[in-house]
Amino acid sequence: MPTLTIKIQTLGGVYKRYASSLEKLGIVRLGDFLYHVPFRYEDYALISKISQVQPGEVVTIRGKVLEIKNEYTRRYFVIQKAKIKDQSGVIDVVWFNQPYIVKSINQGDKVSLSGKIEKKGSRLQISNPDFELGEDEFIHTGRLVPIYPETRGVSSKWIRRQVFRLLKENQKEIEEYLPSDILNRNGLQNLFDAIYKIHFPLSLEEAEVAKKRLSFDELFLMQLSSLKRRGEWEKNLIGFVFDIKKYNGQIHEFIKRLPFELTSAQKKAISEIFTDFSMEKPMNRLLEGDVGSGKTVVAAAAMYLAYLNGFQSVLMAPTEILAQQHFKTISSLLESFGLRVELRTSSSKKNWKLETPKGYPNWKFDILIGTHAVIHKGVNFEKLGLVVIDEQQRFGVEQRSILRKKGDNPHVLTMTATPIPRTIALTMYGDLDLSILDEMPKGRRIIKTWLVPSAKRNGAYEWIKKQIKEKGSQVFIICPFIEESESIVTVKAATKEFENLKKNVFKNYKLALLHGKLKSKEKERVLSEFKNKKFDILVATPVVEVGIDIPNADIILIEASERFGLSQLHQLRGRVGRSERQAYCLLFTETGSPQTNTRLKAMEKTNFGAELAELDLKIRGPGEIYGTAQSGRNLLKIASFSDLNLIKQTKKEAEAIGSKLTKYPKLKQKIEEITVKEISPD
Ligand code: ADP
Ligand code: MG
């Protein structure tokens, strides 16, 4: 097997230990190291004779170790002291609290050191320098040194070593796959050089040229593979065409009986979906709309039409809470029209007599709503006509495709609240048609948002109490975001905060706690009691982020808000302001850093998800907005969605290749590799 495709998990020793940390960085196979590109370079290129160094200079010196030792200064504090000599002189070196250094550097070793020269009394010293041993190959000192995104236990230095070794030992495997006319036309350098130079450039200009080539590839391949997916999708023919005219009356009745008037954006989305339904190829549409823009009712209208045409629908949601909520909403919207709606989650499984012969289930439904449990092999449909996937980025390609195969080329509607600017959506999801809900239901007010520094914490609590007493407000308190998934650590912290609030802050109020480790029955109970105003305050972990709809809640307080991206905060904030009452969002922060404040201040100023997403894109990079690659769609690691020119340029090239892909075997293989990776993200 080629080395670069080996999964790190399957290697022994340190790799095995680091595998899960590396995965967080998107490094699963050895080859992924090559595409883990530096976000900046340390400039250690100035190599100096010891006798010529100046205080304040960042330099590299090379010489022989005269002595090195640990020196114990205070209790628990060790400094490492060394003297290094070259032909021109001797200099002191000092490190702080890194006793292992004394084990890795020995007297007599040839060493290269990079760092800042300081004046200590009358002498010069270099403190906390980066270093490496040897005298011929330097990657950590004496040059532009790549600095990478790191994660616990995985340092830039370690990553750098892996990258260098792979480049040296596996050069043959890094084969050019772009046709030469594309390379020439776009002035791109060859693949190996680009990869080598993005990690180990001799100048920043070199790094820039390399980055351009790799950004080109990333956007080009993304668009080419979505064109390929679109081509494949368009080969699917369905045996049915929904009749729309015939059921016009019923659909109008449904819309008339809604408790509100549809926004024109909702009407447009519904009509786009209905147009798809009247085609002979299955719909593949992305419905994008900010939190609270009312996607659910659009999906309900689509499912109703499927029902009228004699077809079942399924709706898959990413969490149990959401599935339950959709179940309630959709039941209340559609049961009065005679539809049977069922719920299927992993906890409802036991009550389900679903292991019945295929095709003859002894349960009947028109709409099935659930979590990923709906893709279980025991779940069968008689006539599945429409698949709806909520918060699609949380599901893998494979899960979606299993669900789809439960029908005969059913229509697919995916929904997302992630505000992706149109150009980006067209790049990432070029195979999907797009409907955007760019308009909020009437009467919604702007959610008043305030940044609350720690000095004002108590004042904020008092204000909340007053709102509860005087206006009957209901409040979400969101505990800090600790780890990516709902871990035991997060749950413990939330429990502690809950106890603290109950005992010390909101003594005479009714509080409840919600977190991901609760049994789903319990979650459901807590939520429905909160909805029925049995509690004033719901303390929750960030699980409430997606979709929960409690129109009465009008205040949300978010702890440690600096840990969230703006888009995430916006999603959280969207839990309130779902009625005509004025809603408030209080962002608590502990760090007073000016950058953090500027970033969070944006929340005070704007209520538009798309605007905040653009800001996030500028400040924190796309990874933070669109989550990590778990979604199955490869996200950008190198290119930027804000590079509209490159997006256009690559789009043109991808379209030019179009169906002629077979003419370029290496490129074709590359695209297939990407597709395989998407289907098995592990
Ligand atoms: P999201 O797009 O975030 O999934 P939902 O579908 O949960 O939004 O809708 C949010 C809330 O807005 C729900 O309480 C829903 O009943 C209500 N809603 C949806 N459409 C409208 C509308 N056109 N006018 C008023 N309220 C609406
Ligand atoms: Mg929703």
Side-chain angles (χ1 to χ4, degrees):
M1 175 147 93
T3 314
L4 295 178
T5 59
I6 291 176
K7 282 190 184 174
I8 288 165
Q9 220 178 10
T10 63
L11 297 168
V14 66
Y15 289 108
K16 200 176 172 69
R17 238 182 311 134
Y18 284 177
S20 69
S21 299
L22 287 169
E23 197 174 335
K24 287 210 181 98
L25 297 175
I27 303 174
V28 175
R29 293 164 203 270
L30 278 176
D32 295 336
F33 274 111
L34 300 178
Y35 288 92
H36 187 66
V37 303
F39 64 93
R40 67 180 183 91
Y41 303 88
E42 199 73 76
D43 187 354
Y44 287 153
L46 178 63
I47 302 172
S48 176
K49 282 187 186 146
I50 289 176
S51 64
Q52 285 174 359
V53 299
Q54 302 291 332
E57 243 178 9
V58 174
V59 295
T60 298
I61 55 165
R62 287 178 178 157
K64 209 165 169 173
V65 181
L66 291 182
E67 59 171 71
I68 180 157
K69 60 178 188 235
N70 274 320
E71 213 174 88
Y72 296 82
T73 49
R74 272 176 279 129
R75 260 212 304 176
Y76 307 125
F77 200 76
V78 214
I79 62 177
Q80 292 70 47
K81 283 194 159 173
K83 283 191 192 305
I84 309 294
K85 177 184 187 313
D86 70 5
Q87 292 106 326
S88 72
V90 176
I91 194 166
D92 292 335
V93 184
V94 51
W95 287 275
F96 302 98
N97 257 344
Q98 300 177 54
Y100 68 90
I101 284 180
V102 170
K103 294 204 184 92
S104 17
I105 305 179
N106 294 306
Q107 196 179 352
D109 281 348
K110 295 243 168 76
V111 68
S112 176
L113 298 150
S114 296
K116 196 168 184 178
I117 305 295
E118 288 172 354
K119 200 160 181 167
K120 185 88 195 279
S122 62
R123 302 170 64 93
L124 293 181
Q125 69 172 29
I126 180 165
S127 58
N128 267 329
D130 287 304
F131 69 92
E132 65 192 306
L133 298 174
E135 47 188 324
D136 40 42
E137 227 170 41
F138 299 104
I139 59 171
H140 308 296
T141 61
R143 53 169 308 131
L144 284 184
V145 175
I147 309 295
Y148 300 99
E150 302 176 350
T151 179
R152 211 185 316 157
V154 181
S155 67
S156 272
K157 188 167 185 175
W158 187 80
I159 294 171
R160 206 176 291 139
R161 267 203 305 271
Q162 310 309 313
V163 173
F164 191 70
R165 220 198 51 230
L166 289 170
L167 283 169
K168 224 166 83 170
E169 294 171 5
N170 302 87
Q171 177 166 3
K172 281 224 188 69
E173 255 189 79
I174 305 172
E175 266 189 297
E176 185 56 71
Y177 50 77
L178 284 188
S180 53
D181 54 330
I182 291 191
L183 290 177
N184 295 338
R185 214 169 21 241
N186 298 282
L188 302 171
Q189 83 188 126
N190 81 59
L191 183 65
F192 180 82
D193 285 354
I195 294 181
Y196 191 94
K197 287 177 178 168
I198 200 157
H199 292 283
F200 300 106
L202 294 179
S203 65
L204 289 176
E205 291 73 43
E206 258 192 30
E208 214 32 61
V209 172
K211 188 171 171 201
K212 185 187 165 207
R213 157 73 210 249
L214 298 177
S215 305
F216 182 97
D217 285 26
E218 203 171 25
L219 292 168
F220 174 71
L221 294 173
M222 184 181 267
Q223 309 204 52
L224 197 55
S225 68
S226 59
L227 280 177
K228 183 167 167 267
R229 276 195 304 265
R230 184 181 270 272
E232 276 155 18
W233 184 275
E234 285 177 350
K235 285 188 213 141
N236 295 326
L237 273 189
I238 42 179
F240 56 87
V241 173
F242 285 170
D243 200 327
I244 299 165
K245 267 214 188 97
K246 185 168 162 200
Y247 302 110
N248 222 338
Q250 275 105 318
I251 293 292
H252 271 124
E253 185 60 23
F254 167 77
I255 290 172
K256 215 176 82 194
R257 275 210 245 158
L258 288 172
F260 43 72
E261 170 143 12
L262 290 176
T263 63
S264 39
Q266 283 170 320
K267 285 183 197 153
K268 180 154 175 262
I270 291 175
S271 98
E272 283 164 347
I273 292 169
F274 283 11
T275 307
D276 289 351
F277 281 165
S278 62
M279 305 283 188
E280 281 195 352
K281 66 177 171 86
M283 167 172 82
N284 194 16
R285 183 169 285 279
L286 177 66
L287 176 61
E288 183 190 325
D290 210 344
V291 277
S293 60
K295 295 183 287 293
T296 318
V297 67
V298 174
M303 293 192 281
Y304 185 38
L305 187 68
Y307 161 81
L308 292 170
N309 279 277
F311 283 88
Q312 293 170 301
S313 302
V314 59
L315 188 163
M316 178 163 72
T319 67
E320 177 117 20
I321 296 183
L322 266 182
Q324 265 152 10
Q325 187 182 291
H326 279 314
F327 174 65
K328 280 189 195 132
T329 312
I330 288 175
S331 305
S332 79
L333 286 172
L334 292 174
E335 272 180 354
S336 62
F337 294 92
L339 279 75
R340 295 157 301 178
V341 186
E342 276 282 357
L343 177 68
R344 167 73 146 91
T345 64
S346 43
S347 63
S348 69
K349 188 160 53 183
K350 286 180 213 86
N351 318 329
W352 254 49
K353 306 170 214 78
L354 54 80
E355 312 300 342
T356 46
K358 201 170 172 170
Y360 297 96
N362 58 4
W363 36 266
K364 297 261 178 201
F365 58 81
D366 302 304
I367 295 176
L368 179 64
I369 291 174
T371 56
H372 62 274
V374 299
I375 66 176
H376 186 277
K377 62 178 177 340
V379 178
N380 299 306
F381 298 84
E382 285 158 285
K383 247 183 130 186
L384 179 60
L386 171 63
V387 170
V388 182
I389 297 171
D390 195 17
E391 303 297 339
Q392 53 83 27
Q393 69 279 15
R394 303 219 167 196
F395 294 103
V397 171
E398 192 176 23
Q399 286 171 311
R400 285 180 260 165
S401 121
I402 294 176
L403 189 53
R404 217 164 65 74
K405 293 209 172 101
K406 288 178 183 284
D408 178 17
N409 281 320
H411 295 292
V412 177
L413 178 67
T414 48
M415 310 198 283
T416 180
T418 311
I420 312 170
R422 191 177 270 274
T423 43
I424 299 184
L426 291 177
T427 314
M428 280 175 74
Y429 304 116
D431 52 329
L432 306 182
D433 293 308
L434 201 58
S435 290
I436 300 187
L437 299 185
D438 51 5
E439 178 188 6
M440 282 295 180
K442 254 203 287 243
R444 292 280 164 79
R445 301 204 211 178
I446 298 237
I447 302 169
K448 288 205 173 126
T449 302
W450 294 299
L451 204 53
V452 184
S454 41
K456 294 197 178 155
R457 174 177 286 264
N458 287 329
Y461 284 147
E462 289 310 313
W463 178 83
I464 290 176
K465 286 182 198 167
K466 199 167 147 223
Q467 301 298 308
I468 298 175
K469 262 193 244 152
E470 292 178 1
K471 294 197 201 141
S473 288
Q474 284 190 291
V475 185
F476 284 113
I477 295 185
I478 308 297
C479 296
F481 177 77
I482 298 181
E483 283 187 31
E484 249 167 72
S485 59
E486 183 93 333
S487 68
I488 205 77
V489 189
T490 313
V491 171
K492 262 199 190 139
T495 312
K496 210 167 131 202
E497 178 62 8
F498 172 67
E499 296 299 336
N500 168 50
L501 289 169
K502 208 161 73 169
K503 255 200 246 118
N504 305 320
V505 184
F506 296 103
K507 264 183 242 160
N508 302 318
Y509 298 81
K510 285 167 285 177
L511 279 73
L513 175 66
L514 182 73
H515 60 67
K517 292 271 184 288
L518 288 181
K519 291 242 163 57
S520 70
K521 272 260 148 49
E522 188 61 16
K523 276 186 218 162
E524 197 185 350
R525 186 187 62 80
V526 170
L527 275 174
S528 73
E529 292 190 356
F530 189 52
K531 215 167 191 166
N532 296 330
K533 297 197 141 194
K534 289 232 173 79
F535 307 114
D536 306 309
I537 299 173
L538 185 66
V539 180
T541 51
V543 287
V544 292
E545 177 184 347
V546 274
I548 290 188
D549 188 32
I550 300 197
N552 258 325
D554 49 11
I555 299 175
I556 186 164
L557 182 169
I558 303 171
E559 287 282 356
S561 55
E562 70 278 358
R563 295 191 200 168
F564 296 92
L566 295 179
S567 297
Q568 276 171 307
L569 286 174
H570 181 67
Q571 298 259 330
L572 280 171
R573 176 167 67 181
R575 298 310 109 221
V576 300
R578 301 183 146 238
S579 68
E580 301 200 353
R581 292 166 60 141
Q582 177 61 53
Y584 302 90
C585 171
L586 306 182
L587 301 173
F588 280 25
T589 60
E590 297 298 328
T591 68
S593 101
Q595 288 102 314
T596 308
N597 278 341
T598 325
R599 190 166 72 85
L600 293 175
K601 281 269 176 201
M603 293 292 298
E604 292 184 351
K605 288 190 208 109
T606 175
N607 254 273
F608 295 107
E611 220 169 284
L612 292 166
E614 299 269 5
L615 258 177
D616 251 355
L617 193 67
K618 280 200 202 114
I619 306 174
R620 314 204 326 164
E624 298 292 340
I625 307 181
Y626 307 118
T628 37
Q630 30 84 356
S631 67
R633 295 268 170 158
N634 290 319
L635 297 162
L636 296 183
K637 298 190 79 168
I638 305 169
S640 158
F641 280 124
S642 41
D643 193 344
L644 295 182
N645 282 331
L646 197 59
I647 290 179
K648 261 195 222 136
Q649 196 179 335
T650 48
K651 183 165 192 237
K652 212 166 112 198
E653 292 292 2
E655 280 166 356
I657 293 243
S659 54
K660 298 192 303 259
L661 192 55
T662 39
K663 278 207 208 146
Y664 307 97
K666 283 192 184 136
L667 183 57
K668 185 162 173 266
Q669 194 193 336
K670 183 79 190 168
I671 292 289
E672 273 152 17
E673 276 165 28
I674 296 175
T675 319
V676 169
K677 224 164 140 189
E678 281 181 349
I679 289 177
S680 59
D682 56 333

